[in-house]
């Protein structure tokens, strides 16, 4: 199968944002691992004064390795190859396009989304980016004991044909990822979206298992090989921790059993693309309109039924 430009061996930009798009910190967790494994350095950043409301996304203070306390402001930046040799004692990302891979990391802005997206896509064009992969994670009715599904889609017809992807039929409120995707496609950069399903009943904790699912799908799409480091051990510990919680909560254990039975009714280990798409659309509707979710990303998602 011939891959479209930018999705195997081309100059890729992987995008992840904190907040609404990042259940279980899975999307940003995957992106940060890429930054670390590639030794990327900042090549472009937005001015946070233009796009962020500091009462909503507050700056933080941290102590550096030198013992100095510094303010860290919310923002968004594109990171690219630094040109510096990577330490020989670390595992590195390999495969087609690994040496030109870029990552965009940031917090979802509070204002001027059109200008924000235009500025970042312009920076991507300046860096000769040929394809963009958006990483997201959604709270879903997914059992933590089963493989976590990743829904891959694209609005680009050539990409859908080449990669056998679906087109989302969702209509409703969106996050900044959708705005960037729209801007990129209009500027001629093809976009693929990857959304991992995160069990909603453990929404407060980071989900290394969802990070692993996104990385596996990213490898499948691009041909890259991404070392996992300690992630697999962390995912097993996360699953064991949820098992322990469920063992002490009869209602939670019963609900998880229901989810497992529903998942096992699917003919394959991974849910069908149609089923994942339907879950994705239900999730977005909950976040935007339903009583259990909020469009600002601070909702808790659905709760187990009685």
């Amino acid at each position: 199968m011939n891959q479209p430009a930018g999705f195997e061996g081309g100059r890729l930009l992987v995008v992840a944002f904190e907040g609404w798009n990042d259940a279980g910190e899975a999307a940003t967790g995957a992106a940060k691992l890429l930054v670390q494994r590639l030794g990327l350095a900042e090549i472009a950043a937005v001015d946070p004064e233009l796009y962020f409301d500091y009462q909503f996304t507050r700056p933080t203070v941290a102590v550096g390795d030198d013992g100095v306390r510094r303010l860290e402001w919310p923002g968004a930046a594109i990171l690219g190859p630094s040109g510096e040799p990577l330490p020989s004692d670390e595992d590195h990302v390999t495969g087609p396009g690994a040496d030109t891979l870029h990552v965009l990391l940031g917090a979802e802005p509070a204002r001027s989304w059109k200008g924000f997206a235009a500025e970042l896509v312009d920076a991507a064009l300046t860096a000769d980016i040929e394809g963009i992969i958006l990483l997201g994670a959604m709270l879903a009715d997914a059992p933590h004991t089963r493989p976590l599904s990743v829904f891959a889609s694209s609005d680009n017809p050539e990409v859908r044909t080449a990669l056998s992807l679906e087109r989302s039929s969702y209509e409703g409120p969106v996050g900044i990822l959708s705005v960037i995707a729209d801007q990129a496609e209009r500027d001629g950069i093809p976009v693929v979206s990857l959304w991992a399903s995160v069990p909603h009943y453990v929404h407060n904790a980071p989900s290394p298992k969802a990070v692993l699912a996104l990385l596996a799908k990213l490898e499948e799409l691009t041909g890259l090989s991404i070392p996992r480091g300690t992630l697999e051990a962390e995912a097993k510990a996360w699953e064991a921790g949820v098992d322990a919680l469920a063992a002490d909560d009869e209602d939670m254990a019963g609900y998880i059993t229901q989810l497992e039975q529903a998942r096992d009714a699917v003919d394959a280990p991974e849910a069908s693309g149609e089923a994942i798409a339907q879950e994705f659309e239900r999730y977005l509707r909950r976040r935007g309109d339903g009583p259990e979710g909020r469009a600002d990303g601070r909702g808790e998602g659905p709760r187990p039924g009685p």
Side-chain angles (χ1 to χ4, degrees):
M1 178 177 66
N2 293 325
Q3 300 276 43
F7 292 98
E8 185 171 349
R11 294 176 68 87
L12 274 178
L13 175 65
V14 176
V15 179
F17 280 89
E18 301 169 358
W20 198 86
N21 314 273
D22 193 28
E25 300 176 18
T28 54
K32 289 175 181 177
L33 184 141
L34 288 174
V35 171
Q36 177 187 1
R37 296 293 186 193
L38 290 163
L40 303 183
E42 183 179 302
I43 63 172
V46 300
D47 181 353
E49 297 289 328
L50 300 177
Y51 303 114
F52 291 90
D53 181 343
Y54 299 139
Q55 289 185 326
F56 180 74
T57 308
R58 291 183 178 272
T60 59
V61 64
V63 179
D65 294 336
D66 56 3
V68 177
R69 285 162 54 88
R70 293 183 177 88
L71 284 174
E72 297 179 354
W73 297 88
I78 294 179
L79 301 102
S82 66
E84 298 292 330
L86 294 171
S88 58
D89 59 344
E90 291 186 4
D91 291 329
H92 310 303
V93 178
T94 58
D99 57 345
T100 58
L101 191 65
H102 290 60
V103 172
L104 167 56
L105 267 169
E108 190 171 65
R111 61 175 71 92
S112 302
W113 281 23
K114 291 180 180 179
F116 181 86
E119 181 175 343
L120 288 171
V121 172
D122 281 347
L125 289 168
T126 300
D128 296 323
I129 295 300
E130 298 174 286
I132 292 177
I133 299 179
L134 306 176
L135 303 183
M138 58 184 175
L139 299 176
D141 296 327
H144 71 283
T145 54
R146 300 295 187 265
L148 298 182
S149 302
V150 176
F151 174 51
S153 67
S154 178
D155 283 334
N156 186 299
E158 294 181 2
V159 170
R160 290 200 304 274
T161 299
L163 301 181
S164 300
L165 301 180
E166 299 184 43
R167 183 179 187 180
S168 173
S169 60
Y170 169 75
E171 296 179 282
V174 298
I176 192 61
L177 291 179
S178 296
V179 180
I180 289 176
D182 178 75
Q183 183 69 49
E185 288 284 358
R186 286 191 284 114
D187 285 346
I189 305 178
V191 178
V192 169
S193 296
L194 304 181
W195 283 80
S197 297
V198 176
H200 65 78
Y201 51 88
V202 285
H203 66 276
N204 285 328
S207 178
K209 190 170 182 177
V211 175
L212 286 173
L214 281 172
L215 292 175
K217 197 68 174 181
L218 187 60
E219 286 182 330
E220 178 186 327
L221 180 69
T222 64
L224 292 169
S225 177
I226 306 169
R228 304 300 200 266
T230 61
L231 263 178
E232 292 181 353
E234 292 170 10
K236 290 179 180 178
W238 172 84
E239 188 168 333
V242 182
D243 286 342
L245 288 174
D248 293 332
D249 187 329
E250 184 177 340
D251 290 339
M252 181 179 182
Y255 178 65
I256 292 171
T257 298
Q258 293 176 18
L259 294 179
E260 290 172 337
Q261 292 171 346
R263 179 61 184 269
D264 292 343
V266 179
D267 293 335
E270 298 290 342
S272 68
E274 181 181 358
I276 302 171
Q278 290 173 352
E279 176 58 43
F280 175 59
E281 292 173 8
R282 287 197 297 271
Y283 158 78
L284 287 176
R285 292 191 182 96
R286 286 197 300 262
R287 300 291 277 187
D289 302 323
E292 296 150 326
R294 297 166 51 137
D296 60 12
R298 291 179 288 179
E300 295 183 343
R303 296 183 180 275

